[in-house]
Amino acid sequence: MTLQPGATLGFVGLGNMGTPMVRRLVDAGYEVRGYDTDPEARERVAALGATVVSEVDKVAAGADAVLLMLPNSDVVERVLYSDGLLEAARPGTVLVDMGSSRPHSTRTVAEWAASRGVPMVDAPVSGGVGGAEAGTLTVMAGGAAEDVEHVRPVLERIGGKVQHVGDVGAGHALKALNNLMSATHLLVSSEALLAGQEFGLDPEVMLDVVNGSSGRSGSTEAKWPKFVLPGTFDSGFGLRLMLKDMRIAVELARETGLPSALGESAVELWAKAAEELPPTADHTEIVRWLQNEHGKGRR
């Protein structure tokens, strides 16, 4: 039996991604009980029609599934263990981690949850805030097939493509690897486009040509036109979150024994950018950092 509209969902993490996800679930007819440490975030989703609670473990009361949209494994573990969310979940409640967590941590959490009768699905997403608002996210779901199918209607309301990618932990592994590729694309695309501008090429013309050629990527098709050229740098995904995912992916590569020289180099450059840009920097601001590095080189 799948979780159809009318089911009760707990939702923890009401930030840039979590809020539009909750809106889509409420609009679909799900009963959503939300929590965030930020009172303004709680007020925001209350205005959308969700019920908000003052303590995180209360989202599990009577919930058929609890969705987490949290920044990393450390926060997930704290919420589940120290804050008592997992203890408050009744047997049969499905735990769905939609953030970007460490795959090995996810598997450990899943084992502990299973011992309490709580199945777990890791279902990270790709597509950014715009995808969350439009319901077009790609959802990479890891877990037992029956558990993924149980929560599929919920995930399909959030994402345009829900793909079962393997056992629990597989979703988080694939998300990290995807983001390593995405970050490396953005870095090298930006280096090339900035070099072209310095030579005298029009960036819009370059993008038009590249996007019809073999050099195209999500960075040239979406990130540069939407966030870099307008100068907004507001994709909604932080630079340090991207770096965290890149590090997870490189660590996975190390564990397999496969070379990851380009990935390692990309991590080093993104880490340097993270040190020099503001803590709140959007990941597209790697372009600003490159421009600044170019300026240093000319002095």
Side-chain angles (χ1 to χ4, degrees), residues 66-104:
V66 174
L67 284 65
L68 309 177
M69 195 63 196
L70 299 170
N72 56 54
S73 291
D74 292 339
V75 178
V76 169
E77 291 174 9
R78 186 184 73 234
V79 165
L80 294 177
Y81 301 153
S82 302
D83 296 344
L85 176 56
L86 200 47
E87 186 175 353
R90 65 186 181 185
T93 300
V94 182
L95 179 65
V96 185
D97 183 358
M98 302 197 73
S100 299
S101 298
R102 298 187 304 272
H104 290 300

Side-chain angles (χ1 to χ4, degrees), residues 3-229:
L3 292 183
Q4 298 295 329
T8 299
L9 307 175
F11 203 109
V12 183
L14 309 174
N16 290 336
M17 295 292 287
T19 295
M21 288 178 172
V22 167
R23 178 182 61 79
R24 293 193 61 81
L25 293 171
V26 169
D27 288 349
Y30 289 96
E31 299 292 330
V32 180
R33 186 179 294 113
Y35 175 82
D36 196 284
T37 56
D38 182 1
E40 291 185 5
R42 297 199 297 268
E43 291 177 8
R44 190 164 58 239
V45 300
L48 298 175
T51 300
V52 296
V53 295
S54 57
E55 296 178 13
V56 67
D57 60 321
K58 288 185 169 56
V59 301
D64 299 296
V66 174
L67 284 65
L68 309 177
M69 195 63 196
L70 299 170
N72 56 54
S73 291
D74 292 339
V75 178
V76 169
E77 291 174 9
R78 186 184 73 234
V79 165
L80 294 177
Y81 301 153
S82 302
D83 296 344
L85 176 56
L86 200 47
E87 186 175 353
R90 65 186 181 185
T93 300
V94 182
L95 179 65
V96 185
D97 183 358
M98 302 197 73
S100 299
S101 298
R102 298 187 304 272
H104 290 300
S105 169
T106 299
R107 287 180 171 175
T108 299
V109 169
E111 290 176 3
W112 197 75
S115 72
R116 301 184 60 82
V118 175
M120 182 173 182
V121 170
D122 56 309
V125 300
S126 180
V129 174
E133 291 172 343
T136 57
L137 295 168
T138 295
V139 183
M140 310 162 213
E146 60 270 23
D147 297 329
V148 173
E149 290 307 307
H150 185 59
V151 298
R152 182 177 287 277
V154 176
L155 300 179
E156 288 180 339
R157 184 59 188 174
I158 291 171
K161 179 179 182 181
V162 178
Q163 181 74 43
H164 184 198
V165 299
D167 294 334
V168 68
H172 283 147
L174 185 52
K175 172 62 186 294
L177 295 167
N178 175 80
N179 277 10
L180 176 62
M181 289 187 280
S182 175
T184 306
H185 295 164
L186 178 57
L187 185 62
V188 72
S189 297
S190 299
E191 287 180 345
L193 290 164
L194 291 174
Q197 283 184 271
E198 186 67 16
F199 182 75
L201 294 171
D202 184 317
E204 293 188 6
V205 172
M206 282 192 287
L207 287 170
D208 186 51
V209 172
V210 167
N211 287 334
S213 305
S214 59
R216 67 185 180 276
S217 69
S219 297
T220 62
E221 292 178 333
K223 295 179 184 181
W224 261 76
K226 291 181 180 179
F227 310 118
V228 178
L229 286 185

